[in-house]
Structure formats: structure tokens, C-alpha cells
Amino acid sequence: MTHGECLFKKAPGHRKEGSLTRVRYASRFQAIQELQEEQGFPVQALCRIAGVSRAAYYKWRKRTPTAEEKHNEALMVLVREVQTRVRGIYGYRRMAQHLTRELGQPVNRKRLYRLMKIYDLQAVIRRKKKRSPAASPQHVEANKLNRNFQASQPNEKWLTDITEFVDATGRKAFLSTVFDLYDKSIVHYEISPLNNNQLVFQTMEQALRACPGAQPMIHSDRGFQYTSRGFKAIVEAHGLDHSMSRVSRCLDNGPMEGFFGTLKCEEYYLPYSFYATYEDLVKAIRRYIRFYNHQRYQEHLNGLTPIEYRNQAA
């Protein structure tokens, strides 16, 4: 019998549900054992936190692992090794395909799906968004900008939008920005784990505070934040002229989309870029925007950075 056959053939006395239950609690018991041995935490407290009884834990310590438990443990060792190599981008389908090629033996997708779910191993790549009914906009404006992306002075025309990023744990970070068409600078940005009205309102208010007296045309898409009464109130309170992209016309906000593409190509999608936590991801975004505004020379700005070009106008 080959190594692959040993790992993936069903063990005698196979009981799917009972085995998975044992695996699920085994991960808790394993954590309790490691914390008790390495950190000296009391078993009783650890069991209470993990939601298991001390009797069950000590029974597990004395157990003789079944053949199927050994198969599952060996399989998950391989899965973790592969996930580390590919930086977490494999889901259970691609993982099964990869292991099948690597081991020369078919790996059961359903089995792999159940085990990866129990051990909380998920792909970090973007998933298809669930479609939901579009909300009725509270306020809509015409496309007054009309793709005229030229500006003769700072704070004449601003663009705004939101994009999202995901860290290695699957936690999202939403970046809301205000972009000046004159010097291609990021006037202000905010990052939040929530994509809500408050994120957009705070971005806009802080951008206006950073540029006292500015009354630019502000162009956005028709996202729910920008069509809300709250955003309209900010626009009216500061005497701004609001312009909106047409439905499904992302090119109406082209330079803003272009900046997001540049950020992701030059930072987020780099082969060596890996963001283990939300905080790591936020730091990387902030670092890149500082670099973009102050150090990234642009040919169409006469070889200056956005901030140098802006200061030159001032």
C-alpha cells in the first residue's frame, strides 16, 4: 500500500459523524494540553473556557487514537504544509486537486471539506459576493463631471470612492478616499472594518477640514453612502457641487479606480505581500499612501510627487 493509500483509504469501522465529532473536540483537547504544559495554566480553567469537561479531557489523554483519527491527523498535517506554501489561497477544492497530484492518489473532496471546516482552514482569496436587492437611493445627482478629469487648481475637483482588502484571517478592511484631480493626491483617507455611512462621512468631513475654505465639485458613484441624506447634508453644508457616475459606468470615476488599481498592484498583490492580521494590512495601506503622496514621482506631474506638485501650485 502506498503512502497515499494509507492516508486516504477509509479505516475499518469508519463512522463519519462520530469521527468528526472526535476530531472537533480533539483540537480543543490538544490546545488545553499545550497551554497547560507550556504556560502552566490550570486544566480546570482551560476546560471551562473550551467548553469541555475535565473527565472528557483526561479520557482523551489516555485514549488510543483510532485508525481514522490517525488518517485525519496525517491529512491535516499535509493540508497545513500546502496552505503555508501557497499563502492560504487554496479552498478545499483546489487543495484536493493539489494533494491528488502531489500524492498520486485521489483525495475525497467532501472529507477534506469537513476537516478543513472543523480546523477553520479557509481560502483567503475573495469570494463571490451574495447578491442582495439594491436599496432605493435617497438622493441622486447627474454626471456633471462627465469624464472631464482635468483641473486647473487644487481643490477644484475631487473624486471619492471605497475599496476593500482582506487579511490572511479573512477580516476585511475598507479604504475610503478623497482624490484631487489637480495633483492626483490623496487629500484624506479613512480605513475601517465596516463599510458604512460613518466611514464615508468621516472621510469627507476630514478632507474638508484639511483644506479650509475648499468648495470643490465632489464626484462619486451611486453607492448607498453617497446617495444617502447624510452625504447630501454634508455637501449642502459646505456648498459643494455633487456629481455622480452613471449606473454601471466605472470609467466615470476612472482616476479614482486607477489609484485603487495602482495601490493593489504595487502593494497588495505583490508576490511577497502577506498580511497576517488586520493591523498588518492597515499599516501596509497607510505606508503605501504616504509613499504615493510624498515619494512616488509621476511623469504627468512633471516628474514631481503629488504633494510636491500641490505645494508648487500653492
Side-chain angles (χ1 to χ4, degrees):
M1 181 179 291
T2 67
H3 178 62
E5 290 173 330
C6 178
L7 283 176
F8 303 116
K9 280 186 175 295
K10 291 183 179 180
H14 173 76
R15 291 185 300 168
K16 180 171 65 178
E17 295 303 325
S19 172
L20 290 176
T21 299
R22 289 195 297 273
V23 170
R24 181 180 295 109
Y25 283 99
S27 61
R28 301 185 192 182
F29 294 146
Q30 185 68 39
I32 292 172
Q33 182 179 5
E34 292 175 359
L35 288 170
Q36 198 278 326
E37 292 177 352
E38 297 175 8
Q39 305 294 331
F41 294 122
V43 170
Q44 183 175 1
L46 293 172
C47 288
R48 184 171 63 252
I49 294 171
V52 297
S53 67
R54 283 189 300 166
Y57 168 69
Y58 285 117
K59 183 178 180 180
W60 172 82
R61 288 289 301 269
K62 296 178 181 179
R63 86 202 186 291
T64 299
T66 65
E68 186 174 359
E69 287 174 335
K70 293 178 180 178
H71 293 330
N72 290 336
E73 289 172 4
L75 176 57
M76 294 314 297
V77 168
L78 292 177
V79 168
R80 288 195 181 94
E81 289 177 355
V82 173
Q83 280 290 63
T84 299
R85 268 186 275 152
V86 301
R87 298 174 58 186
I89 66 172
Y90 283 179
Y92 76 95
R93 293 183 183 88
R94 293 184 67 189
M95 181 63 71
Q97 184 180 31
H98 181 96
L99 291 176
T100 295
R101 287 285 301 275
E102 194 169 275
L103 297 171
Q105 284 289 322
V107 178
N108 187 282
R109 283 187 177 184
K110 292 182 179 179
R111 180 188 186 92
L112 196 58
Y113 169 78
R114 290 192 294 266
L115 288 170
M116 290 181 69
K117 187 174 183 180
I118 289 170
Y119 283 90
D120 196 28
L121 292 174
Q122 301 179 13
V124 299
I125 60 175
R126 180 177 62 188
R127 293 171 173 78
K128 292 183 179 179
K129 295 181 180 179
K130 295 182 180 179
R131 295 187 177 274
S132 56
S136 299
Q138 298 172 343
H139 174 71
V140 175
E141 290 286 354
N143 182 20
K144 302 171 187 176
L145 185 64
N146 197 28
R147 300 192 187 179
N148 180 4
F149 300 133
Q150 301 301 316
S152 59
Q153 60 185 348
N155 305 324
E156 179 183 346
K157 298 175 183 177
W158 286 357
L159 307 180
T160 186
D161 201 0
I162 296 174
T163 192
E164 72 175 49
F165 303 82
V166 183
D167 69 14
T169 69
R171 189 178 180 189
K172 293 183 178 181
F174 295 94
L175 170 65
S176 171
T177 59
V178 170
F179 179 95
D180 193 319
L181 278 174
Y182 174 74
D183 48 41
K184 313 301 185 285
S185 67
I186 300 302
V187 180
H188 188 74
Y189 69 92
E190 294 286 341
I191 306 173
S192 170
L194 301 176
N195 182 17
N196 55 18
N197 284 345
Q198 185 59 36
L199 172 62
V200 167
F201 298 169
Q202 185 171 347
T203 305
M204 198 65 201
E205 293 282 12
Q206 291 299 323
L208 290 165
R209 187 172 299 174
C211 304
Q215 291 185 305
M217 172 186 286
I218 180 69
H219 181 87
S220 69
D221 61 18
R222 299 195 180 195
F224 69 90
Q225 299 97 331
Y226 305 113
T227 60
S228 67
R229 294 189 183 92
F231 193 80
K232 178 178 172 59
I234 294 174
V235 168
E236 291 181 344
H238 293 275
L240 310 183
D241 190 13
H242 194 184
S243 169
M244 287 186 183
S245 299
R246 293 165 294 175
V247 177
S248 301
R249 296 289 191 276
C250 61
L251 291 181
D252 287 349
N253 205 10
M256 185 75 268
E257 298 289 348
F259 167 75
F260 288 151
T262 299
L263 187 162
K264 291 182 178 182
C265 286
E266 296 185 356
E267 169 59 43
Y268 186 62
Y269 291 141
L270 290 177
Y272 50 79
S273 295
F274 182 76
Y275 313 102
T277 65
Y278 174 83
E279 290 72 21
D280 291 339
L281 179 55
V282 170
K283 287 179 182 177
I285 296 170
R286 294 188 185 282
R287 181 177 63 244
Y288 181 84
I289 293 179
R290 284 196 300 270
F291 162 76
Y292 173 87
N293 269 346
H294 295 275
Q295 294 177 272
R296 190 178 184 275
Y297 304 118
Q298 300 193 30
E299 185 175 354
H300 54 266
L301 298 180
N302 300 326
L304 302 175
T305 68
I307 295 303
E308 286 175 338
Y309 195 79
R310 190 178 190 86
N311 291 339
Q312 187 181 72

